């Protein structure tokens, strides 16, 4: 996952700390995202920025020329200095620390007049603005740049720790989601599993939904396929059967894989006509699948039971559907004139 520096740092806290540093040093300081966006800058003065057409390009220059390896430096025509040092987190340039709007020697009078004329400013007003900008000795600049680099490195370390924490939390979140998913889904077919099916039976017993229908389905010949062609091929057959049943079942139903080769559909507000329609849909999809996959055909036996009043428990309804499924399997064997495993 790609992170921005703002995702990894406490920006309000940094802004507060850097604001305090500005008041102590009188030097503007801030954070710039790698794309050139200033997250904030404490102490930026109007000597560099004026509304309208008279703005200088220091701000834009720094934003557009951030160096992912070393300092970015801008020296105004008046001699005002700006620096940015990259914050590199595990090889990624995420942001830069900015310090600037200071001189190492007083600005030259001629330079002031030329810049004022270039920007269409009143020279006296421009001079008053520049008079508020601090002048620091060159030795202090050396220390300031070291501080800038150390600060950038410290923020990079903090960012790395925070990113690692976030990545760990994301892994844990995904793991929890996966475990939660597996607790109620069959990992092979993506259908609900036996555990969820049992919970649904219990819940429907308590709520006493009527009418309620259960359809039990059995994939024919799975053991023979596993024994002769291998379990990988058997898994393909199971997935094919699961897709057929899922596509045929009503959207409001619960479709589960309840055993190695057994599936179930639970549906409330069902009647015999609806369940017959579902059965016909399954048969039609089986025929379509087998026409396209003659080397590995699917056979599905199905049995249905419907409760229109509440004397029957869901367990009894399940047993009825299961018995009807085996009766259907038996009749299919007789019709085919051969054993269907």
């Amino acid at each position: 996952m790609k992170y921005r520096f703002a995702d990894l740092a406490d920006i309000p806290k940094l802004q507060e700390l850097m604001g305090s540093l500005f008041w102590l040093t009188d030097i503007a300081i801030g954070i710039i995202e790698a794309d050139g966006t200033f997250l904030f800058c404490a102490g930026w003065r109007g000597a560099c920025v004026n509304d309208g057409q008279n703005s200088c390009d220091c701000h834009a220059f720094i934003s557009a020329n951030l160096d992912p390896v070393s300092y970015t430096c801008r020296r105004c025509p008046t001699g005002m200095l700006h620096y940015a040092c990259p914050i590199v987190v595990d090889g990624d340039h995420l942001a830069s620390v900015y310090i600037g709007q200071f001189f190492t020697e007083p600005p030259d009078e001629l330079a002031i007049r030329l810049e004022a004329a270039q920007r269409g400013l009143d020279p006296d007003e421009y001079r008053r603005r520049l008079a508020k900008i601090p002048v620091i000795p060159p030795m202090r600049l050396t220390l300031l740049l070291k501080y800038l680099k150390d600060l950038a490195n410290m923020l990079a370390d903090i960012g790395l720790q925070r990113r690692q924490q976030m990545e760990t939390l994301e892994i844990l979140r995904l793991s929890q989601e996966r475990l939660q998913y597996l607790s109620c889904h069959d990992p092979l077919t993506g259908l609900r599993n036996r555990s969820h099916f049992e919970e649904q039976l219990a819940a429907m017993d308590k709520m006493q939904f009527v009418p309620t229908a259960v359809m039990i389905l059995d994939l024919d010949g799975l053991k023979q396929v596993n024994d002769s062609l291998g379990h990988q091929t058997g898994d393909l057959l199971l997935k094919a059967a699961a897709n057929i049943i899922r596509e045929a079942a009503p959207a409001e139903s619960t479709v589960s894989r309840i055993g190695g080769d057994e599936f179930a559909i639970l549906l409330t507000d069902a009647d015999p006509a609806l369940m017959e329609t579902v059965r016909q849909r399954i048969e039609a999809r089986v025929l379509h699948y087998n026409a396209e996959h003659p080397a590995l055909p699917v056979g599905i036996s199905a049995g249905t039971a419907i409760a229109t009043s509440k004397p029957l428990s869901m367990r009894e309804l399940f047993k009825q559907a299961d018995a009807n499924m085996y009766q259907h399997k038996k009749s299919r064997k007789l019709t085919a004139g051969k054993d269907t495993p």
Side-chain angles (χ1 to χ4, degrees):
M1 180 176 179
K2 188 73 173 177
Y3 292 100
R4 294 171 63 88
F5 183 72
D7 300 323
L8 306 178
D10 186 341
I11 299 303
K13 187 64 176 178
L14 269 179
Q15 192 168 5
E16 180 183 345
L17 290 172
M18 290 186 173
S20 298
L21 186 63
F22 161 69
W23 287 111
L24 289 171
T25 64
D26 208 27
I27 293 173
I29 184 167
I31 299 291
I32 315 171
E33 289 271 21
D35 63 4
T37 303
F38 266 80
L39 290 175
F40 64 86
C41 187
W44 188 275
R45 294 176 173 87
C48 265
V49 177
N50 192 38
D51 292 336
Q53 298 296 318
N54 298 328
S55 299
C56 78
D57 64 351
C58 295
H59 193 290
F61 180 92
I62 290 292
S63 294
N65 293 278
L66 295 175
D67 192 320
V69 177
S70 187
Y71 296 107
T72 298
C73 179
R74 165 68 170 171
R75 184 181 183 92
C76 290
T78 58
M80 190 187 303
L81 294 171
H82 308 266
Y83 289 90
C85 187
I87 301 172
V88 179
V89 178
D90 197 23
D92 294 328
H93 175 216
L94 298 188
S96 294
V97 184
Y98 164 83
I99 58 170
Q101 288 199 314
F102 59 86
F103 295 102
T104 53
E105 57 184 24
D108 180 78
E109 178 63 25
L110 179 59
I112 293 175
R113 290 185 175 277
L114 289 175
E115 182 65 8
Q118 176 70 25
R119 294 171 56 189
L121 301 174
D122 176 79
D124 293 333
E125 173 61 24
Y126 188 46
R127 189 181 297 104
R128 281 193 293 272
R129 290 184 185 180
L130 292 179
K132 298 177 182 179
I133 304 299
V135 179
I136 67 171
M139 179 58 71
R140 189 180 173 195
L141 174 60
T142 301
L143 296 174
L144 192 61
L145 293 180
K146 182 180 184 305
Y147 168 82
L148 180 64
K149 184 176 181 180
D150 290 345
L151 178 59
N153 289 338
M154 183 189 73
L155 292 176
D157 289 342
I158 293 172
L160 178 59
Q161 292 174 15
R162 177 58 179 157
R163 190 172 78 173
Q164 290 172 340
Q165 290 172 356
M166 292 173 70
E167 289 172 347
T168 300
L169 290 173
E170 180 66 9
I171 291 170
L172 289 174
R173 184 187 68 80
L174 293 174
S175 297
Q176 289 171 349
E177 288 182 358
R178 180 64 177 166
L179 288 172
Q180 186 176 8
Y181 176 85
L182 291 176
S183 70
C184 58
H185 287 82
D186 171 48
L188 178 65
T189 64
L191 300 179
R192 297 288 185 167
N193 60 16
R194 180 64 183 245
S195 176
H196 182 81
F197 176 76
E198 298 284 354
E199 290 174 3
Q200 289 291 99
L201 288 182
M204 293 170 82
D205 254 337
K206 289 180 181 178
M207 298 300 294
Q208 297 195 343
F209 287 120
V210 286
T212 298
V214 179
M215 179 178 281
I216 304 300
L217 308 105
D218 187 85
L219 174 59
D220 300 330
L222 179 62
K223 184 178 186 304
Q224 182 180 352
V225 170
N226 284 337
D227 291 344
S228 60
L229 301 176
H231 285 272
Q232 276 191 322
T233 305
D235 287 348
L236 292 176
L237 204 63
L238 280 167
K239 290 178 182 179
N243 288 333
I244 288 169
I245 297 166
R246 181 192 292 112
E247 291 169 1
E252 62 273 20
S253 64
T254 301
V255 183
S256 306
R257 181 187 177 198
I258 59 174
D261 55 5
E262 280 195 321
F263 302 86
I265 299 174
L266 283 178
L267 183 64
T268 59
D269 198 22
D271 57 31
L274 174 59
M275 298 313 293
E276 175 61 17
T277 299
V278 174
R279 187 190 66 77
Q280 291 177 3
R281 287 177 186 167
I282 292 172
E283 286 188 354
R285 282 170 169 76
V286 166
L287 289 173
H288 179 74
Y289 177 87
N290 290 345
E292 293 187 344
H293 304 83
L296 191 67
V298 168
I300 297 176
S301 301
T304 302
I306 302 175
T308 55
S309 58
K310 226 26 225 169
L312 278 180
S313 70
M314 292 302 298
R315 286 289 172 194
E316 289 299 318
L317 201 64
F318 174 86
K319 288 180 181 178
Q320 281 190 13
D322 199 43
N324 290 338
M325 182 272 292
Y326 279 107
Q327 185 62 39
H328 181 224
K329 183 183 283 288
K330 183 178 179 181
S331 68
R332 290 176 64 241
K333 289 180 181 179
L334 293 174
T335 300
K338 60 180 182 179
D339 288 341
T340 302

